[in-house]
Amino acid sequence: MANENGGAEGGQTSDIDLSRPSIARVYDAVLGGKDNYEVDRVVADQVRRTMPHISDVGWFNRAVLGRTVRYLAQDAGIRHFIDLGAGLPTLENTHQVAQRYAPDARVVYVDNDPIVLAHGRALLEENERTSVVTADLREPAAVLAHPGVRRLIDFSEPVGVLLIGMLHHLHDDENPQGIVDAYLDAVPSGSHLVITAFCDTGPEARGVEETMLEFLGTGRFRTTEEITAYFKGLDLLEPGVVSLPLWRPDAPVALPLTVAQRLMAGGVARKP
């Protein structure tokens, strides 16, 4: 359903399949949210058994989302954002951060879960510069051609392309590099790519990976070097691809990092 003044577009909430866990809803359960079902909480509980501090990992991811979007809006001058695989709204969402520093910023959230559409409609109905579209990020051509995306995003200006906590849900046989490249090919020089993803840092990480693959069906943990490779052809900003708490922290970070702090890594790069 389109809303000329913003809000959510496309998809039907009746499409929700309550027999299968959803990435967005499992993430919501991990963060202690209420927009999930028993099938999602089962997966979240299984992950907690493997990694008791998994909720902390989720909040580290939210925190670095805030820092990277603040940088893009405040320092890099980005005014158009595509948040791919956005998930359910929680605290400090992309549009809230971006529009705090740049009130004219435009944000499109993309997710294939109809429940995200339902909550997005309620959250964004008064925000004409923000929209939610139901689409699969694994189909870049369809996403980029979506009327809800084209309405808000001006592809002649630099765009912030966000893959926050999503790369590990793209398996190797789904051509994740090709997917990333397709989005970057569609945006001009000066655009930025943000990636955060689960990182293969040792046995504890592999245990979480196995749990996610068994109960959710996705979860490909990659090494720091593998994650860095997705930024090929771009100017990777300092400090590079690092554990999330180390990406331009607002306060000193105690070392050594805990297992939970090292479980995800990410970085930001500029398209030359």
Side-chain angles (χ1 to χ4, degrees):
M1 180 181 299
N3 179 334
E4 292 182 358
N5 297 315
E9 307 187 35
Q12 299 292 329
T13 57
S14 60
D15 295 337
I16 298 172
D17 182 357
L18 302 186
S19 68
R20 300 176 60 187
S22 147
I23 294 170
R25 299 194 311 261
V26 169
Y27 187 54
D28 179 70
V30 164
L31 290 176
K34 299 180 179 178
D35 299 317
N36 51 76
Y37 300 96
E38 180 62 25
V39 66
D40 310 303
R41 293 188 285 274
V42 167
V43 178
D45 289 343
Q46 289 293 336
V47 175
R48 285 192 193 97
R49 290 189 179 96
T50 310
M51 172 59 65
H53 300 292
I54 192 65
S55 61
D56 293 338
V57 178
W59 288 115
F60 296 146
N61 195 45
R62 295 302 299 182
V64 83
L65 166 66
R67 297 198 302 277
T68 55
V69 171
R70 180 181 68 195
Y71 168 79
L72 295 186
Q74 187 176 45
D75 299 327
I78 300 297
R79 294 296 179 266
H80 298 81
F81 296 80
I82 302 178
D83 192 337
L84 298 163
L88 286 158
T90 181
L91 297 175
E92 291 294 274
N93 299 289
T94 298
H95 75 283
Q96 293 166 322
V97 178
Q99 292 169 1
R100 180 180 306 133
Y101 297 98
D104 58 338
R106 295 168 174 251
V107 178
V108 174
Y109 294 102
V110 178
D111 203 285
N112 64 353
D113 190 329
I115 199 171
V116 175
L117 169 69
H119 287 271
R121 180 180 292 117
L123 179 68
L124 305 173
E125 60 184 2
E126 300 299 328
N127 191 314
E128 63 181 10
R129 296 184 180 274
T130 307
S131 184
V132 179
V133 301
T134 301
D136 193 326
L137 71 87
R138 293 170 295 185
E139 300 174 358
V143 170
L144 294 166
H146 194 291
V149 174
R150 308 301 300 193
R151 181 174 62 80
L152 284 182
I153 304 301
D154 182 350
F155 286 95
S156 70
E157 297 186 11
V159 177
V161 178
L162 311 182
L163 278 163
I164 304 294
M166 286 308 301
L167 187 63
H168 45 263
H169 293 301
L170 301 179
H171 294 285
D172 292 342
D173 61 2
E174 293 178 303
N175 189 22
Q177 184 69 66
I179 292 171
V180 173
D181 291 347
Y183 287 109
L184 268 295
D185 287 345
V187 296
S189 173
S191 296
H192 286 65
L193 171 66
V194 182
I195 290 175
T196 70
F198 279 115
C199 190
D200 182 356
T201 54
E204 298 92 345
R206 293 181 199 118
V208 179
E209 180 183 37
E210 291 172 4
T211 300
M212 290 179 63
L213 287 170
E214 179 180 357
F215 291 93
L216 190 57
T218 65
R220 164 70 163 85
F221 286 33
R222 295 177 171 90
T223 64
T224 301
E225 292 74 20
E226 287 177 309
I227 296 170
T228 302
Y230 286 94
F231 293 105
K232 69 180 179 69
L234 307 177
D235 296 330
L236 188 60
L237 305 184
E238 292 294 336
V241 174
V242 295
S243 297
L244 298 189
L246 299 180
W247 199 91
R248 304 193 180 187
D250 294 325
V253 178
L255 299 175
L257 299 181
T258 65
V259 172
Q261 288 175 311
R262 293 188 291 110
L263 197 60
M264 292 187 74
V268 180
R270 180 184 184 277
K271 182 175 180 179

